[in-house]
Amino acid sequence: MITLSVIKADIGGYVGHSSSHPLVLEKANERLAKAKRDKLLVDFHVTRCGDDLQLIMTHQNGEEDESIHKFAWDTFLDCTKVAKELKLHGAGQDLLADAFSGNVKGMGPGVAEMEFEERGSEPIIIFMADKTSSGAWNLPLYKMFADPFNTIGLVIAENMHQGFRFEIHDVKEHKKITLDAPDEIYDMLLFMGAPSRYAVKAVYHRGSNAIASVSSTQRLSMMAGRYVGKDDPVCIVRSQGEFPAVGEVLEPFTNPFLVEGWMRGSHHGPFMPTSIEESNPSRFDGPPRVVAAGFQLSGGKLVGPRDMFDDPSFDKARRTANEVADYMRSHGPFEPHRLPLEEMEYTTMPQVVRKLEGRFVDL
Ligand code: F6R
Ligand code: MG
Ligand code: MG
């Protein structure tokens, strides 16, 4: 068995919230290389999406392992030191706890982990997003694992025909429900279609029960009880064989659907697929980005990555995203570009209401 852990945090942006500084990535690389030499990790890859630092690690310790989580936490602390020296913007912003307490979950960083038996060929796609929240994976995961108009394998591949099981989390009430596709898709969509509240945590193959996908489902704003940043979630997807083919996994991102989280975490905008190099959300701090790093696993070794959206077949999605961005921006401070009041992470509403209290009169 091998465990793949993707643990990420925004520990400082360069410039503003638009990107990451090379020295921060260098520090993380140093730390992870040492952990590999010390045999804590089998292999690793350090990357970024916008201002989020991504630690991609394989190891033999299983999910939610204290030594791996503590190592990731300490790495973020070390990288925060570099960020502070450079006075990067929001240095250490996602590290919400003062001290490590067993597990990085609930401490600020985002976590997606899966333990599995490596197959003869193990293609893995790791999606990473900036300027959006964990529910952003709902639509693409539905398409990959439940929509035959996206994934023809559900219809014509014998090993996929039984469908997939979805574990959906209610991120506000802290509850979860498991529903089967295709039998229960109408019930499933009722929840998945409301991504600000319900987020797909995991997907399983119904025949083998094998893990197919895992995402991070933190809601930073909920955890801190005040605005501290965006979830900027990650999602691991296993591919080929009994899982959707690489092309079926990537296909949902040809449509730059709307997600929440643009500018001050308070606007809807198109989810733009870009290369990792181009994941620098700068226009109105966006539009929200998604990148995809592809690996072949070999005895836990991360062979790769291939930068999967660095491909002309996603040019049209990027163009459409820019057009949708113009259209959404034309609404300025009006909904539905601006999020509904209860979803806004930044809001001056309470202060304004207090100030104008006496001036509200009964109709
Ligand atoms: C951060 C984000 C940005 C910030 C905005 C204000 O992920 O989405 O839009 O919310 O740049 O940032 P501060 O409050 O740090 O000046
Ligand atoms: Mg930031
Ligand atoms: Mg970010």
Side-chain angles (χ1 to χ4, degrees):
M1 295 283 259
I2 190 83
T3 306
L4 173 61
S5 299
V6 183
I7 307 187
K8 50 85 42 187
D10 175 352
I11 51 89
Y14 168 64
V15 173
H17 293 280
S18 67
S19 193
S20 307
H21 195 281
L23 289 178
V24 169
L25 293 163
E26 198 179 300
K27 173 56 77 185
N29 258 306
E30 259 170 42
R31 293 256 348 193
L32 272 66
K34 179 164 185 313
K36 186 177 167 180
R37 285 196 302 276
D38 295 346
K39 307 267 188 269
L40 176 66
L41 302 180
V42 174
D43 202 8
F44 71 90
H45 180 72
V46 171
T47 188
R48 68 176 185 92
C49 179
D51 59 3
D52 291 276
L53 174 61
Q54 311 279 348
L55 312 180
I56 300 171
M57 302 171 284
T58 54
H59 54 90
Q60 238 107 39
N61 295 11
E63 294 164 24
E64 303 205 15
D65 176 68
E66 181 162 348
S67 55
I68 296 292
H69 280 225
K70 174 152 190 0
F71 166 71
W73 179 260
D74 290 342
T75 302
F76 291 136
L77 286 180
D78 264 16
C79 291
T80 298
K81 271 187 214 145
V82 176
K84 284 194 167 147
E85 276 159 28
L86 298 167
K87 286 184 72 181
L88 296 184
H89 189 66
Q93 73 164 49
D94 283 355
L95 307 184
L96 305 181
D98 297 326
F100 181 78
S101 60
N103 189 316
V104 287
K105 277 187 185 165
M107 297 178 70
V111 185
E113 293 183 294
M114 52 162 77
E115 187 181 29
F116 53 90
E117 203 68 63
E118 190 180 290
R119 295 169 295 164
S121 161
E122 189 63 68
I124 299 232
I125 310 286
I126 299 174
F127 292 102
M128 296 160 271
D130 191 25
K131 312 293 182 253
T132 191
S133 55
S134 39
W137 307 123
N138 288 8
L139 187 152
L141 287 173
Y142 179 80
K143 285 193 156 187
M144 281 173 222
F145 292 102
D147 180 5
F149 278 71
N150 180 89
T151 300
I152 184 60
L154 295 167
V155 180
I156 61 174
E158 209 188 328
N159 52 5
M160 287 174 69
H161 203 73
Q162 280 162 292
F164 290 87
R165 178 164 297 137
F166 286 68
E167 181 184 319
I168 301 170
H169 285 198
D170 178 337
V171 293
K172 289 191 179 152
E173 293 291 324
H174 297 285
K175 287 186 175 156
K176 64 178 177 183
I177 183 166
T178 302
L179 293 164
D180 285 345
D183 325 26
E184 300 179 293
I185 53 171
Y186 297 160
D187 294 336
M188 218 166 85
L189 283 170
L190 195 63
F191 302 110
M192 282 174 80
S196 58
R197 168 127 184 212
Y198 298 96
V200 177
K201 176 64 189 174
V203 181
Y204 298 89
H205 189 276
R206 280 175 72 186
S208 64
N209 226 9
I211 184 76
S213 176
V214 163
S215 67
S216 58
T217 51
Q218 286 72 18
R219 285 221 73 179
L220 276 182
S221 53
M222 299 286 171
M223 280 158 35
R226 64 185 166 88
Y227 171 85
V228 277
K230 230 83 50 294
D231 304 328
D232 299 341
V234 294
C235 180
I236 306 172
V237 180
R238 294 172 80 190
S239 173
Q240 304 293 151
E242 63 186 317
F243 305 118
V246 166
E248 292 166 334
V249 171
L250 299 177
E251 182 70 3
F253 297 94
T254 54
N255 173 31
F257 54 95
L258 293 173
V259 295
E260 62 173 46
W262 195 1
M263 185 49 93
R264 298 179 185 273
S266 304
H267 294 79
H268 286 116
F271 208 18
M272 183 191 257
T274 65
S275 65
I276 291 163
E277 195 58 38
E278 288 186 337
S279 68
N280 309 303
S282 319
R283 179 193 174 175
F284 198 58
D285 289 0
R289 291 309 145 100
V290 53
V291 302
F295 297 93
Q296 289 284 149
L297 277 196
S298 172
K301 199 170 163 359
L302 289 155
V303 180
R306 270 213 58 232
D307 191 341
M308 306 307 285
F309 290 143
D310 187 7
D311 185 295
S313 58
F314 289 93
D315 284 351
K316 182 156 175 271
R318 292 188 268 269
R319 258 198 323 275
T320 307
N322 276 324
E323 270 157 30
V324 172
D326 282 343
Y327 175 72
M328 294 305 284
R329 285 294 304 121
S330 73
H331 294 76
F334 283 77
E335 296 177 8
H337 178 30
R338 200 179 81 178
L339 296 192
L341 283 179
E342 62 277 16
E343 286 300 327
M344 282 211 298
E345 285 167 351
Y346 266 87
T347 173
T348 46
M349 192 72 174
Q351 294 96 293
V352 175
V353 167
R354 221 174 300 127
K355 187 180 73 183
L356 299 179
E357 223 165 11
R359 290 171 59 182
F360 266 107
V361 292
D362 291 337
L363 289 174

